Amino acid sequence: MRMKERHGDDGYSCGPTVYDHAHLGHACSYVRFDIIRRVLTQVFGCGIVMVMGITDVDDKILRRAREMDMSPAALARLYEEDFKQDMVALKVLPPTVSLRVTEMVPQIISFIEGIIARGHAYATAKGNVYFDVRARGDKYGKLVSVVPAPAAEAVDSDKRHAGDFALWKAAKPGEVSWASPWGPGRPGWHIECSTIASAVFGSHLDVHSGGIDLAFPHHENEIAQCEVFHQCGQWGNYFLHSGHLHVKGQEEKMSKSLRNYVTIKDFLCSFSPDVFRLFCLRSSYRSAVDYSDSTMLDASHVLRGLASFLEDARAYMRGQLAGGPVSEAELWDRLSSTKGTVRTALADDFNTPRALDAVLDLVRLGNRQLRAATEGPGGPRSPAVLGAIVAYVEQFFETVGISLASRQCLPGDGSTATLCSVVDELVRFRLKVRQFALDTQAATGDARRQQLQERRPLLEACDTLRQDLAAHGISIKKWRSLHLGPAGPTDSTEAKGLRLAGH
């Protein structure tokens, strides 16, 4: 999918079947598509109308409700709210509107009646309604090209053909059901999304997203249903499918049925949502990706490195980082080429790995220039180009939903703000102690050496404190800080460089 400037797009996402906690396999898909949505909106200027369908009645929900001795509706509401809280925690933007299947049953029944009227579905004596795949002809399979052979049917199946799929399921004893022209029952899975998307967008859809496992049969069947109902040649323009999340070393995808999953809540006890988002950025949304603690730790390390660069660049701009000029022309040229590379990459099927690599290369060059500037002699400084790089790097990561703020003090989170203030005061106190320990200019000769010897424990205590703070993700760096005294600018030996590791 190659992007050009557009004014608006309709997007439909297959939402969750709400019967249990969501896991990282689900998170991977939703975060990847959230990144794409942000790119479409903020980079390419698309006005996205995003609709999500919530499956709140299905076999898994009915079975789980029996196990938990609660009504299917109560179970579905419980886990729907749980899912929404997980999405907020992962910083996934909410859909423009989400619609539950149980709220759309009258529309679903009308949709099925339309398909029957067009000769592509049939009702059975048992009260089931099936889509007639053979009536679709060679148009069936247009999304996946090769249609897998259908599974063997039960001996009591009332389908005409093995490949036919249910539009309406006759109610079993004790199951929740709705009245219909074919008797009490509930919707089949595939018809839900077709009806919900059509209720909002009509006979045309720009973008449909979901996991790769939904391409067939779910999305193929959605296409068949919609193109028959709307009598159109092409219902959807683009189907975006995200690759599976695998547990590293295992061939199977992360799945509840395989019991190899990590819930979103458990993950967020150890890592931040930004860590997971960076992990998702480092691979194509289409590709399968391996999950492990080591890959998450690596992503966390990258984020800390980015935050450290931004802090150092700002210190250089403020005149607090010792050193002289950087190679302005080289940095301006790299910044310009990076912007072009990133835009081209994102326009090429949302190639986030290539875009991310270009930004990280820019940061590496900036780090090398800062290091060279601090190691060389003093002289004229070049703050403007570093400021432009900082602004662009922050803008890129904000675009994809990652905050590089070194201190993430949330509104109303007084404890975090207080911690920042306490650490600030602690570092300032350490600086004053260190400056006192090194200030022996008034003494000379043996007296000066005696003072340095007596004050050595103070310097050692300062070093110990620096090391202890580093173990908690707070680094104190040797910066130049300009102080205007009676005689003009003077250099202090050390000023603070504070970075609270929030990842």
Side-chain angles (χ1 to χ4, degrees):
M1 181 178 179
R2 291 186 177 273
M3 288 303 307
K4 297 180 180 179
E5 302 293 342
R6 298 182 60 163
H7 296 294
D9 284 275
D10 305 329
Y12 181 82
S13 171
C14 290
T17 300
V18 283
Y19 72 99
D20 205 345
H21 299 293
H23 58 64
L24 287 187
H26 305 125
C28 189
S29 180
Y30 290 116
V31 168
R32 282 171 157 179
F33 290 131
D34 182 71
I35 291 169
I36 289 175
R37 180 182 176 187
R38 290 169 183 265
V39 168
L40 285 171
T41 302
Q42 299 181 43
V43 178
F44 297 106
C46 298
I48 304 295
V49 177
M50 175 71 173
V51 175
M52 177 180 286
I54 305 290
T55 299
D56 59 344
V57 59
D58 116 310
D59 291 336
K60 293 177 180 177
I61 293 173
L62 298 178
R63 183 167 55 250
R64 187 72 189 280
R66 287 193 297 269
E67 293 171 354
M68 297 181 67
D69 192 26
M70 60 192 306
S71 72
L75 177 86
R77 294 297 180 272
L78 172 68
Y79 285 113
E80 179 185 344
E81 183 60 30
D82 187 77
F83 169 79
K84 290 178 178 178
Q85 291 176 2
D86 282 343
M87 293 302 102
V88 170
L90 289 169
K91 303 200 293 187
V92 173
L93 297 173
T96 310
V97 63
S98 60
L99 294 169
R100 302 183 183 109
V101 170
T102 56
E103 297 171 340
M104 299 292 293
V105 173
Q107 294 91 329
I108 291 172
I109 291 172
S110 296
F111 207 95
I112 295 171
E113 289 179 319
I115 296 175
I116 292 174
R118 291 161 178 75
H120 281 71
Y122 57 91
T124 71
K126 293 182 179 181
N128 296 306
V129 181
Y130 296 101
F131 188 95
D132 187 347
V133 170
R134 292 192 181 182
R136 177 79 169 152
D138 59 6
K139 294 179 182 179
Y140 190 72
K142 65 188 299 184
L143 179 64
V144 295
S145 299
V146 178
V147 176
E153 288 295 320
V155 293
D156 61 344
S157 172
D158 56 350
K159 293 182 181 181
R160 289 179 185 172
H161 318 294
D164 295 349
F165 57 89
L167 302 180
W168 186 261
K169 295 182 176 182
K172 297 176 182 177
E175 283 189 350
V176 61
S177 63
W178 288 263
S180 81
W182 319 286
R186 56 187 171 87
W189 177 32
H190 312 301
I191 197 68
E192 302 168 359
C193 292
S194 292
T195 303
I196 292 174
S198 297
V200 179
F201 301 124
S203 61
H204 179 267
L205 181 67
D206 285 318
V207 180
H208 195 316
S209 63
I212 186 61
D213 53 327
L214 299 182
F216 188 89
H218 188 50
H219 291 168
E220 187 68 56
N221 292 348
E222 282 189 67
I223 293 171
Q225 293 165 157
C226 287
E227 292 184 356
V228 168
F229 181 86
H230 296 297
Q231 295 289 279
C232 60
Q234 179 172 310
W235 170 61
N237 286 345
Y238 299 100
F239 282 78
L240 306 184
H241 295 116
S242 64
H244 285 148
L245 181 72
H246 296 258
V247 178
K248 191 169 184 179
Q250 299 181 16
E251 294 184 4
E252 299 89 355
K253 69 172 183 176
M254 186 175 288
S255 167
K256 286 193 177 77
S257 61
L258 297 173
R259 306 188 70 81
N260 64 346
Y261 63 91
V262 178
T263 68
I264 295 170
K265 288 177 175 56
D266 286 345
F267 172 83
L268 292 176
C269 289
S270 302
F271 298 100
S272 78
D274 284 344
V275 168
F276 191 76
R277 194 165 281 256
L278 184 71
F279 165 76
C280 292
L281 277 172
R282 299 176 87 176
S283 62
S284 166
Y285 74 92
R286 295 180 182 272
S287 67
V289 62
D290 287 339
Y291 166 83
S292 68
D293 283 348
S294 63
T295 55
M296 295 303 155
L297 289 170
D298 186 51
S300 180
H301 175 75
V302 171
L303 287 177
R304 284 198 298 270
L306 285 164
S308 181
F309 165 73
L310 296 179
E311 188 73 12
D312 289 351
R314 286 194 173 93
Y316 178 88
M317 294 168 62
R318 292 191 294 261
Q320 292 177 318
L321 191 63
V326 294
S327 299
E328 284 193 75
E330 183 181 6
L331 287 174
W332 282 119
D333 287 346
R334 176 63 66 85
L335 176 59
S336 177
S337 65
T338 298
K339 290 180 178 180
T341 299
V342 167
R343 190 175 184 85
T344 299
L346 296 177
D348 183 13
D349 200 26
F350 311 105
N351 191 337
T352 57
R354 185 182 173 203
L356 179 63
D357 285 346
V359 174
L360 293 180
D361 282 345
L362 173 65
V363 170
R364 292 185 191 101
L365 177 61
N367 264 326
R368 289 196 298 271
Q369 291 284 346
L370 284 174
R371 191 177 304 115
T374 57
E375 292 173 355
R381 304 170 67 78
S382 316
V385 66
L386 267 301
I389 291 173
V390 165
Y392 177 71
V393 170
E394 288 191 328
Q395 178 191 23
F396 171 81
F397 284 101
E398 286 291 341
T399 295
V400 296
I402 292 176
S403 173
L404 293 181
S406 60
R407 295 177 228 185
Q408 300 181 28
C409 298
L410 303 177
D413 185 3
S415 60
T416 305
T418 299
L419 176 61
C420 292
S421 298
V422 169
V423 174
D424 279 343
E425 292 300 327
L426 179 62
V427 173
R428 274 194 286 269
F429 176 74
R430 175 188 177 276
L431 173 60
K432 290 180 180 178
V433 171
R434 184 175 174 81
Q435 288 174 333
F436 168 76
L438 293 173
D439 185 10
T440 58
Q441 295 179 359
T444 59
D446 291 341
R448 184 170 185 272
R449 284 190 290 273
Q450 180 65 25
Q451 277 190 352
L452 286 173
Q453 184 64 30
E454 292 173 349
R455 297 178 185 182
R456 179 176 296 277
L458 294 176
L459 293 173
E460 291 174 349
C462 289
D463 289 341
T464 300
L465 176 60
R466 176 176 53 81
Q467 293 166 4
D468 290 344
L469 289 174
H472 295 284
I474 302 169
S475 59
I476 302 176
K477 303 175 182 179
K478 292 184 178 179
W479 292 358
R480 168 181 291 171
S481 182
L482 298 181
H483 301 287
L484 290 176
T490 59
D491 286 351
S492 68
T493 55
E494 182 178 350
K496 72 180 181 71
L498 172 61
R499 172 169 49 81
L500 290 181
H503 302 287

